[in-house]
Amino acid sequence: MIAKLPLSSPRWRDLDGVKGEEVEALLEQMASASATGSGEAWKQTWTYLAGGLMDDGIVFDGAYAALPHLVEAAAVLPPGLTVDFWVDLGCIVTADYRPLVPADLEAGFGAALRLAERAAVRSLLAAETAAQARAHLALSCVAFAGHHMGEALVRFLELRESGLLLVCPECGSDTEIPEFLADAASPPSEVPELPDSARVREAGHPWAEVADAMQEEALGEQWASFFRVARGVAAAGVTAETPGQAVLCLVAGVVAVNGPLQQAAMEHARRLMSLTGYFRCWDCEQTWAIADGLAENPDGARPQAHPAEALKEHNGSAADGNSTALGPTGEAATRFRRDGNVVLAADGTPWGRISVFAQSAPGASGGVNALAVASGSGRPTLVAGAGDGGGLCLWDVVDGRLVHDPLPGHPDRIRSMTALPLPDDRVLLACGGDSGSIALWNPVTGRPVREPAGGSPGGVTGMCAATIPEGRTLLVTATLRGAVRLWDPETGECVGRLNPYGSPIQSIAAIPIAADHTLIAASDTAGRLHMWDPAVDDPWETGAAVQLNPRALADADHRVAAVAAVPTHDRTVLATGDNRGVIVLWDPATGAPVGDGLPFSTGTAGLPLITATTLHDGRTVVVTGTHHGHRLRIWEPETSAVDHIALDVALTCLATAGPDLIVGHDRGVLRLSLTRE
């Protein structure tokens, strides 16, 4: 018997996600199904209850009290009735966010997992399920055994038909291999290690019957050695120390036996076996077992010392291939690497220098969340940066020296900044805080023009400067609550509003269409793109604003997450980026795409950061990265050339100052020339 919290205990009132009477009602239905050997009502009740135990990847502590009751009841049900239950339970025990098990529930929950392992393995052997469901069930069994490969269960549930997304255990960068699982006709070149005798579990573990069910010839002679590994793991019993690659062999071997659709099971098993190969992370360029890239922070993960010739370039069928970041033409993009304060090209020759700005840690955490570049006629170009503490720093862009003592800034975190070039050649610096407060500074004197004032729920998520034909420059601010306002920087008064639909805004940019006329582009949290004309008084009037071509957006499956202005030799175009790393350029006059976009590359998924500039020779370059990522892509739209630079910092914001790139990161600010020295 498992130690369980009595259903009548007042302790249930202290637990979240479930009530004792809900568990009692489900137990009655499960008991009825056990008595009759059939019944579906309990499954519907379980689905409802499971939604309370875990919501959006977060497990509530009530699960630790409810599951001992439910596991004990499910363990006596016919194996064919409980497959979905064990898979759901596997998702709960491997969820991303799990609170610690309360001390008074720890013994019962631990015993429930041991019983769940035995009962789920019994279902694995007895139930006739489709290949994919068998893989999910096998991973749940692995999770109940306490192995980290069980955490790959969610990734397997979300696995696309042929693509594979891996996370580097060293640097955390994503590596996507689009066609990895398209064809698994040939096994990986190396067979995983068998667990040694020190890892063998005590007699009576539930995996021995699994070993007996496996036949080496099930997938053909070339796969026999992988099946021997699978049988060895099962015979020894899965333990926390079993290599992840060997556990994947076990999962694939289970899929290959007793499947109702044998041919489909064979194909799926080969695909799973191919996951025992290796991949190379673009960011740190180290080689890892694919199994270690499927789980987060896997125990015992270490780089693999495989010679380069043993790692064939991945073409969708070679399981031990390394992923390669590709440029728009399909050829490998030029790569650069930071070595101290020097950026080295792929051939090892210096390409440029990195300058670190002095005392570039205005926030309490040392990071910089927002950047702005202030430049005016006859004045040095200054870079402003702000961090979590609300402090503000101003540096000379040429030598990176601090031109003022750190300014007090906001009482809260500064989330956004922009420079406001005024008609009299003055430049002001605007800052928006977490509380919605807005402040104006004179970057030359370092004195506030307007103290932090105002406030809007959700904070100021974006700012930009807009010029309207009557000769005024206005400050545009946006919030996640959907408030997009126009401010007179001289008086501090709100003089207009945009965004009549109230969509929550996550990125905003000013797009000049004439010397005295600027349009505003914004992306909302649903991936929609909005264009507004600040020169019209009525926010429902379009004015000169043209919306992007909806067919082009739909054809590209482009959900916009970030926007930026891109200067070219004859006009300014709009750049939009999505969470896959795709960048598309648009003509603001027609709403049509301009040229071929920048496609995704391995490791570029995430919230995009975009900036652009024109170099001294007239070339336009777009620089993009991802929030908290480590790599930059420098894209020249006219030639489709792409350069990659890997940094040893986590990106937070980007800006440009002439031909120089300004990078805000988790430890400060640095400058990098975009032209080779």
Side-chain angles (χ1 to χ4, degrees):
M1 292 288 291
I2 297 176
K4 301 181 290 295
L5 181 68
L7 294 174
S8 59
S9 171
R11 176 82 165 88
W12 289 93
R13 293 196 293 268
D14 301 328
L15 302 172
D16 294 325
V18 68
K19 299 177 181 178
E21 51 265 33
E22 292 177 318
V23 176
E24 187 173 15
L26 177 54
L27 290 174
E28 291 177 359
Q29 292 178 329
M30 297 174 80
S32 175
S34 177
T36 62
S38 62
E40 298 291 330
W42 75 272
K43 294 184 179 181
Q44 296 177 0
T45 305
W46 160 248
T47 300
Y48 172 80
L49 187 63
L53 300 179
M54 182 177 71
D55 181 35
D56 197 22
I58 301 174
V59 175
F60 296 101
D61 56 4
Y64 302 131
L67 291 177
H69 289 276
L70 302 177
V71 166
E72 196 171 63
V76 298
L77 287 170
L81 294 181
T82 55
V83 171
D84 292 339
F85 176 85
W86 300 124
V87 173
D88 290 342
L89 181 58
C91 291
I92 290 175
V93 302
T94 60
D96 290 335
Y97 305 103
R98 306 188 298 274
L100 293 175
V101 183
D104 62 326
L105 303 177
E106 190 171 5
F109 184 69
L113 290 183
R114 292 189 292 273
L115 178 58
E117 181 189 12
R118 290 185 173 278
V121 169
R122 187 164 59 94
S123 289
L124 188 62
L125 290 169
E128 289 194 352
T129 56
Q132 191 170 20
R134 291 181 67 79
H136 298 160
L137 180 56
L139 283 168
S140 292
C141 296
V142 167
F144 302 149
H147 195 278
H148 68 263
M149 278 310 302
E151 297 184 6
L153 177 59
V154 175
R155 290 180 180 269
F156 276 72
L157 289 172
E158 298 175 349
L159 197 63
R160 294 182 298 174
E161 184 175 348
S162 61
L164 186 66
L165 184 65
L166 304 169
V167 179
C168 175
E170 176 76 15
C171 65
S173 294
D174 291 339
T175 294
E176 186 169 3
I177 309 178
E179 299 298 326
F180 187 90
L181 298 176
D183 179 15
S186 301
S189 58
E190 294 191 23
V191 181
E193 297 178 0
L194 276 168
D196 57 38
S197 57
R199 299 185 180 121
V200 176
R201 285 172 65 171
E202 70 282 356
H205 65 76
W207 294 92
E209 292 183 43
V210 177
D212 295 338
M214 293 184 183
Q215 302 298 324
E216 293 179 9
E217 64 274 11
L219 292 181
E221 183 178 352
Q222 58 183 338
W223 299 89
S225 55
F226 292 85
F227 251 80
R228 282 193 289 272
V229 173
R231 293 186 65 192
V233 172
V238 179
T239 67
E241 296 79 18
T242 306
Q245 293 167 295
V247 170
L248 284 176
C249 282
L250 171 62
V251 173
V254 169
V255 169
V257 298
N258 296 338
L261 300 175
Q262 197 65 11
Q263 185 58 39
M266 296 300 101
E267 293 175 0
H268 198 69
R270 292 187 185 101
R271 293 190 184 101
L272 293 174
M273 284 286 192
S274 70
L275 295 173
T276 61
Y278 302 92
F279 76 101
R280 187 170 65 190
C281 172
W282 186 94
D283 230 350
C284 63
E285 294 193 353
Q286 297 193 83
T287 299
W288 303 89
I290 289 175
D292 292 335
L294 287 169
E296 188 172 349
N297 300 320
D299 295 333
R302 63 185 187 278
Q304 304 294 313
H306 290 274
E309 59 269 22
L311 296 172
K312 298 173 288 183
E313 183 172 333
H314 190 76
N315 61 7
S317 59
D320 56 347
N322 61 336
S323 64
T324 301
L326 299 181
T329 62
E331 298 177 356
T334 305
R335 298 177 179 179
F336 299 87
R337 176 170 298 283
R338 180 177 178 180
D339 183 9
N341 286 334
V342 178
V343 174
L344 301 178
D347 59 2
T349 59
W351 185 77
R353 298 194 66 82
I354 289 177
S355 301
V356 178
F357 285 15
Q359 301 179 35
S360 56
S365 66
V368 171
N369 303 318
L371 285 173
V373 177
S375 60
S377 174
R379 296 191 181 98
T381 298
L382 302 179
V383 174
D388 287 344
L392 185 67
C393 286
L394 290 165
W395 302 276
D396 187 304
V397 74
V398 176
D399 55 20
R401 64 181 176 84
L402 201 63
V403 298
H404 300 290
D405 290 334
L407 310 178
H410 284 239
D412 55 359
R413 181 177 67 140
I414 295 178
R415 296 188 63 174
S416 55
M417 303 176 70
T418 193
L420 290 167
L422 302 181
D424 58 1
D425 204 30
R426 287 182 300 141
V427 178
L428 298 181
L429 186 67
C431 308
D434 253 347
S435 63
S437 58
I438 300 170
L440 291 177
W441 296 81
N442 184 325
V444 177
T445 65
R447 296 174 181 248
V449 175
R450 195 168 306 284
E451 297 287 351
S456 59
V460 181
T461 54
M463 297 180 132
C464 61
T467 304
I468 56 178
E470 61 190 59
R472 301 168 67 194
T473 297
L474 304 177
L475 171 65
V476 186
T477 63
T479 74
L480 274 176
R481 292 294 184 92
V484 179
R485 295 186 172 96
L486 306 174
W487 305 86
D488 186 326
E490 301 287 0
T491 65
E493 296 180 0
C494 178
V495 296
R497 298 173 187 270
L498 303 174
N499 195 24
Y501 292 103
S503 303
I505 302 302
Q506 63 177 342
S507 179
I508 194 166
I511 312 297
I513 57 173
D516 61 349
H517 198 173
T518 303
L519 299 181
I520 304 300
S523 63
D524 63 25
T525 54
R528 296 181 294 254
L529 193 284
H530 307 268
M531 297 291 294
W532 301 303
D533 185 351
V536 298
D537 294 331
D538 186 348
W540 294 96
E541 292 290 334
T542 59
V546 176
Q547 302 304 315
L548 300 191
N549 186 302
R551 179 178 291 274
L553 283 168
D555 290 345
D557 190 23
H558 191 51
R559 297 173 61 85
V560 180
V563 293
V566 177
T568 69
H569 65 280
D570 60 349
R571 57 182 169 167
T572 297
V573 298
L574 167 67
T576 60
D578 62 28
N579 288 331
R580 300 174 300 159
V582 175
I583 307 294
V584 181
L585 302 184
W586 306 84
D587 185 344
T590 64
V594 178
D596 295 327
L598 176 67
F600 79 90
S601 177
T602 56
T604 61
L607 185 63
L609 303 172
I610 312 172
T611 190
T613 191
T614 301
L615 304 181
H616 292 316
D617 59 5
R619 289 181 295 133
T620 294
V621 292
V622 178
V623 183
T624 181
T626 58
H627 195 63
H628 293 311
H630 298 268
R631 86 180 55 162
L632 296 166
R633 287 193 292 169
I634 302 175
W635 173 43
E636 188 176 335
E638 289 190 5
T639 64
S640 297
V642 182
D643 293 330
H644 293 243
I645 295 179
L647 299 175
D648 56 0
V649 295
L651 308 176
T652 55
C653 44
L654 300 174
T656 53
D660 294 330
L661 174 68
I662 313 299
V663 178
H665 55 85
D666 59 340
R667 300 200 297 274
V669 180
L670 58 85
R671 177 179 66 88
L672 170 66
S673 174
L674 293 174
T675 56
R676 185 163 187 161
E677 295 181 354

